[in-house]
């Protein structure tokens, strides 16, 4: 084979010498890695979990981005969480924001644009040796809204099925011959008591009615005369007409002057 072709074929792999081989760049971790967790039990059995070793343990996980400023400090044998050096750099970095040794640690991934200007990106937490990515706020809201919509839709579906059952029962009842039942009026006892109270108060406010005037002496009412006529007719005896004691006495019984 021609040596020129061999050198051309190997130019993409070697840059002059074999010691100058360029390794392929590592892919940064994804944005959403909430579905996985990391735990290295061998490391936990060897080293303690405290503020000095927690970042070394976090660097073993797939959540760690090797292009961050903390990795640059580690290569220079400087503590990767030294804020005096990180504040002078720009780019991606990890910061320990909270620690409850040895159970709980919170690490925040942020972008630094200046000594006092940082933009939070993601949050990770180490709980009893297991590393997790905290979900983003939009993901939490989306999950809660989806759960709420699901329960509301299920409630409407159950209500619709129950209403359909009630409608079918009512339709069957209407088909059957219904006996006419007298309509019973409902009496409200409270309303009756209220009306009685109003009438009693009005009766007490009115003056008592005057007694009827007495009848003159010798007056016989038409009702009494009608009762007498009925009694006479029922007995079958004809009674002579009433004679005025003064006018109808005849000529023999009149006084002479």
């Amino acid at each position: 084979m021609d040596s020129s072709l061999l050198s051309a074929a190997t130019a993409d792999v070697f840059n002059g010498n074999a010691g100058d081989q360029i390794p392929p760049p590592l892919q940064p971790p994804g944005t959403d890695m909430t579905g996985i967790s990391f735990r290295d039990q061998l490391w936990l059995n060897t080293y303690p979990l405290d503020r000095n070793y927690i970042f070394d343990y976090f660097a073993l996980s797939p959540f760690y981005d090797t292009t961050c400023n903390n990795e640059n400090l580690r290569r220079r044998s400087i503590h990767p969480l030294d804020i005096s050096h990180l504040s002078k750099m720009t780019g991606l970095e990890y910061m320990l924001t909270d620690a409850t040794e040895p159970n709980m640690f919170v690490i925040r991934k942020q972008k630094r644009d200046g000594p006092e200007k940082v933009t939070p990106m993601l949050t990770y937490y180490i709980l009893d040796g297991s590393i997790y990515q905290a979900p983003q706020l939009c993901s939490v809201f989306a999950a809660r809204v989806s759960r709420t919509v699901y329960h509301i839709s299920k409630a409407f579906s159950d209500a619709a099925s129950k209403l359909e059952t009630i409608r079918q029962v009512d339709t069957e009842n209407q088909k059957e011959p219904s006996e006419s039942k007298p309509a019973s009026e409902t009496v409200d006892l409270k309303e009756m008591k209220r009306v009685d109270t109003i009438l009693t108060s009005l009766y007490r406010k009115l003056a008592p009615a005057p007694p009827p005037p007495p009848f003159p002496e010798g007056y016989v009412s038409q009702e009494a005369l009608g009762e007498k006529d009925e009694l006479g007719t029922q007995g079958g005896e004809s009674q002579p007409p009433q004679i005025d004691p003064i006018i109808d006495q005849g000529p023999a019984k009149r006084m002479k002057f």
Side-chain angles (χ1 to χ4, degrees), residues 8-218:
T10 57
D12 295 337
V13 180
F14 297 99
N15 186 10
N17 299 325
D20 297 335
Q21 183 180 2
I22 300 174
L26 297 176
Q27 296 294 331
T31 303
D32 188 6
M33 301 179 68
T34 55
I36 64 173
S37 63
F38 175 80
R39 183 182 181 88
D40 191 343
Q41 191 61 42
L42 182 60
W43 194 97
L44 294 173
N45 295 336
T46 307
Y47 302 97
L49 276 181
D50 55 13
R51 294 175 180 268
N52 296 324
Y53 290 96
I54 190 61
F55 192 83
D56 295 334
Y57 180 61
F58 178 76
L60 300 175
S61 68
F63 306 108
Y64 183 66
D65 191 349
T66 56
T67 62
C68 63
N69 297 333
N70 308 85
E71 183 66 20
N72 190 6
L73 294 180
R74 291 180 67 191
R75 293 173 182 175
R76 294 160 53 187
S77 300
I78 302 174
H79 196 280
L81 297 177
D82 192 349
I83 189 61
S84 61
H85 290 81
L86 289 175
S87 60
K88 298 176 183 179
M89 307 171 70
T90 58
L92 296 178
E93 65 180 22
Y94 293 92
M95 183 65 63
L96 181 65
T97 59
D98 192 9
T100 305
E101 299 179 355
N103 299 320
M104 184 69 181
F105 300 89
V106 179
I107 296 178
R108 183 177 62 197
K109 182 180 181 180
Q110 58 191 14
K111 182 180 180 182
R112 182 176 293 275
D113 297 323
E116 299 296 335
K117 186 178 180 181
V118 293
T119 303
M121 299 176 62
L122 296 172
T123 303
Y124 307 91
Y125 60 95
I126 298 95
L127 180 62
D128 294 333
S130 298
I131 305 177
Y132 306 90
Q133 178 183 339
Q136 296 183 356
L137 189 60
C138 59
S139 301
V140 175
F141 280 141
R144 295 294 177 85
V145 170
S146 300
R147 186 179 301 175
T148 303
V149 171
Y150 167 75
H151 287 295
I152 291 176
S153 301
K154 185 178 179 182
F156 275 110
S157 300
D158 295 343
S161 61
K162 291 182 180 179
L163 290 175
E164 182 66 21
T165 304
I166 294 173
R167 187 182 66 82
Q168 293 177 358
V169 172
D170 292 341
T171 304
E172 293 176 358
N173 293 336
Q174 289 177 0
K175 292 180 180 179
E176 297 178 357
S178 58
E179 298 179 357
S180 60
K181 298 180 180 180
S184 58
E185 297 181 358
T186 305
V187 179
D188 192 352
L189 297 179
K190 293 183 179 180
E191 189 68 19
M192 291 180 59
K193 291 181 180 180
R194 190 175 69 85
V195 173
D196 292 342
T197 304
I198 294 173
L199 294 177
T200 304
S201 61
L202 292 176
Y203 178 76
R204 292 176 180 175
K205 292 179 181 180
L206 295 176
F215 293 103
E217 296 182 0

Side-chain angles (χ1 to χ4, degrees), residues 214-229 242:
F215 293 103
E217 296 182 0
Y219 174 79
V220 180
S221 62
Q222 296 295 330
E223 295 178 358
L225 293 176
E227 292 178 357
K228 290 182 179 181
D229 294 341
Q242 295 182 357

